[in-house]
C-alpha cells in the first residue's frame, strides 16, 4: 500500500473505551433518535432524516463507542455510521485510526489549500458539506479523481473492481447573511452557477444538496409555532435551484439542524441533521482537544 493509504488495521492502536463514558454516549444518542422519530411521527414525515454525529474536538474513543456499541448495554442503539468533523488534520488522523465502515462528513470551513488533501487522503469520506466556491469544488474534484486512479491501480493487482465512487458535496448557503458565516448568497447567480459547475464540470463529485448553519438568535427564537427563518430559506433555495437546474426538488437534500434546533429543521423538511454537543457534551477548546485520549502521548 502507498504511504497515502496506509493500512488502517495494522497501525491501529488499542483504543480503550471507558464503559461509563460509553454508556453515557449511547444513552445520549438514543434520546436523539427518540426525539427525531417522535418529531417525524407527529408531523407525518415518512423519511427519517440521517443523523450525523458531530465529533469534532472529541477523542477517537468516543466515536468508536457509538460506531461499535457495546453489547453490555441494556438496549444498545444501532451502530452510528455518519460522523461530522470540522478540521482537516483532525479528520485525517481519525480516519486513519478508526474503522473504514465509518462514513465521514467534512462540515467545517473549507480552505482551498486543503481541498485536495481532504478528497484524496481521508478514508471513507462520504460528503463535504461546506463547498462555497467553484474553485474549491474543482480542487475537490481533482483530488477525488487522483484518489480513484490510485485505488484503481491498487485493485488491478487484486483483480477487484469497485470503489470509483463520486464524492458527495453540499453547497453551503449563508441563509442568515451573517459576515461571520461562510456560504454563498441565497438565490444568487453564484449559487446556481456553483451547482451547475459541480454537476456539469466535476465528474468525480455528486451534488447532494444544500447546507446551512443559520443564526443562533433565530434558532433560540424558534418555537413550534414560529418556524426558523433559516430553514424556511434553505428549503426555498433548494426548490429554486432545482427549478433552475431542471431537476426534481427531491433530488437535492437539505442538511440543516443542530443540537439546538434539529426538531425545527425536521419540521421544515431536513434530510440530515448534524448534532454534536447534545450527544458528546461540551467541546474542549481546540488547543486542548486530543484525538487519542488514553495513551501515553495523548495524556492531558
Ligand atoms: C459544530 C457543528 C455542528 C454541531 O453543533 P452542535 O450545536 O454541537 O450540535 C453542526 N454543524 C456544523 C457545521 C458545525 O460546525
Amino acid at each position: 500500500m502507498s504511504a497515502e493509504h496506509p493500512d488502517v488495521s495494522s497501525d491501529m492502536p488499542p483504543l480503550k473505551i471507558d464503559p461509563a463514558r460509553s454508556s453515557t454516549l449511547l444513552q445520549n444518542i438514543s434520546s436523539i433518535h427518540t426525539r427525531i422519530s417522535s418529531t417525524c411521527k407527529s408531523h407525518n414525515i415518512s423519511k427519517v432524516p440521517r443523523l450525523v454525529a458531530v465529533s469534532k474536538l472529541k477523542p477517537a474513543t468516543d466515536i468508536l463507542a457509538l460506531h461499535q456499541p457495546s453489547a453490555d448495554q441494556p438496549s444498545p442503539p444501532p451502530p452510528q455510521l455518519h460522523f461530522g468533523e470540522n478540521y482537516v488534520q483532525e479528520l485525517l488522523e481519525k480516519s486513519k485510526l478508526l474503522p473504514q465502515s465509518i462514513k465521514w462528513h467534512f462540515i467545517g470551513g473549507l480552505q482551498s489549500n486543503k481541498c485536495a488533501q481532504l478528497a484524496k487522503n481521508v478514508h471513507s469520506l462520504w460528503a463535504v458539506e461546506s463547498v462555497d466556491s467553484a474553485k474549491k469544488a474543482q480542487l475537490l474534484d481533482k483530488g477525488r479523481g487522483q484518489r480513484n486512479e490510485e485505488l484503481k491501480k491498487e485493485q488491478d493487482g487484486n483483480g477487484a473492481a469497485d470503489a470509483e465512487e463520486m464524492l458527495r458535496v453540499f453547497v453551503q448557503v449563508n441563509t442568515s447573511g451573517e459576515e461571520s458565516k461562510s456560504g454563498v448568497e441565497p438565490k444568487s447567480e453564484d449559487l446556481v452557477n456553483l451547482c451547475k459547475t459541480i454537476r456539469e464540470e466535476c465528474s468525480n463529485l455528486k451534488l447532494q444538496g444544500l447546507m446551512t448553519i443559520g443564526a443562533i438568535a433565530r434558532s433560540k427564537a424558534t418555537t413550534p409555532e414560529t418556524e426558523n427563518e433559516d430553514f424556511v430559506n434553505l428549503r426555498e433555495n433548494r426548490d429554486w435551484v432545482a427549478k433552475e437546474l431542471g431537476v426534481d426538488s427531491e433530488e437535492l437534500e437539505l442538511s440543516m439542524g443542530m443540537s439546538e434546533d434539529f426538531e425545527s429543521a425536521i419540521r421544515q423538511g431536513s434530510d440530515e441533521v448534524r448534532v454534536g454537543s447534545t450527544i458528546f457534551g461540551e467541546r474542549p477548546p481546540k488547543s486542548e482537544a486530543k484525538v487519542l485520549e488514553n495513551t501515553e502521548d495523548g495524556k492531558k
Side-chain angles (χ1 to χ4, degrees), residues 51-270:
L51 170 61
V52 174
V54 177
S55 46
K56 63 183 172 215
L57 308 177
K58 292 292 175 175
T61 44
D62 275 8
I63 298 170
L64 199 59
L66 293 173
H67 184 61
Q68 296 176 342
S70 152
D72 301 341
Q73 295 298 314
S75 54
Q80 175 65 26
L81 294 179
H82 294 267
F83 289 88
E85 291 284 338
N86 284 50
Y87 308 102
V88 173
Q89 194 53 42
E90 183 180 345
L91 175 52
L92 273 168
E93 282 177 47
K94 285 175 172 172
S95 75
K96 283 177 188 160
L97 281 167
L98 289 160
Q100 295 196 26
S101 41
I102 288 177
K103 299 173 194 292
W104 296 106
H105 294 238
F106 184 81
I107 61 174
L110 188 57
Q111 290 169 286
S112 299
N113 62 359
K114 299 276 173 69
C115 286
Q117 200 184 13
L118 182 65
K120 214 177 140 186
N121 297 349
V122 174
H123 283 290
S124 324
L125 181 66
W126 198 83
V128 175
E129 306 213 5
S130 36
V131 177
D132 60 1
S133 77
K135 182 180 172 199
K136 292 176 198 174
Q138 277 151 350
L139 289 166
L140 287 169
D141 181 55
K142 194 167 158 214
R144 187 64 169 202
Q146 288 169 348
R147 171 190 168 277
N148 285 346
E149 281 300 309
E150 279 181 24
L151 285 180
K152 215 158 73 181
K153 269 190 236 150
E154 284 170 18
Q155 281 166 348
D156 281 348
N158 310 327
D162 172 48
E164 248 150 291
E165 211 187 320
M166 293 201 280
L167 175 61
R168 298 163 193 82
V169 294
F170 291 81
V171 169
Q172 184 172 349
V173 182
N174 188 356
T175 54
S176 54
E178 293 163 287
E179 291 240 355
S180 61
K181 299 253 155 68
S182 31
V184 294
E185 204 184 308
K187 303 238 176 121
S188 62
E189 229 171 275
D190 283 353
L191 173 56
V192 185
N193 288 342
L194 175 52
C195 292
K196 282 188 180 157
T197 301
I198 293 166
R199 283 170 55 91
E200 292 161 14
E201 293 170 31
C202 301
S203 58
N204 301 298
L205 304 183
K206 172 177 193 277
L207 179 65
Q208 187 79 8
L210 304 183
M211 182 273 242
T212 188
I213 296 178
I216 293 169
R218 287 187 186 157
S219 110
K220 291 210 166 116
T222 302
T223 64
E225 292 81 41
T226 61
E227 289 304 348
N228 183 313
E229 274 178 68
D230 286 304
F231 301 152
V232 175
N233 192 332
L234 194 70
R235 199 185 52 185
E236 286 172 0
N237 270 275
R238 189 268 312 269
D239 295 345
W240 180 74
V241 166
K243 214 168 167 189
E244 294 285 318
L245 298 176
V247 303
D248 251 22
S249 274
E250 281 97 82
E251 282 185 41
L252 298 175
E253 291 189 349
L254 297 171
S255 172
M256 57 189 197
M258 323 202 316
S259 285
E260 294 299 319
D261 52 21
F262 69 88
E263 284 148 322
S264 159
I266 293 171
R267 291 196 296 270
Q268 288 302 317
S270 178

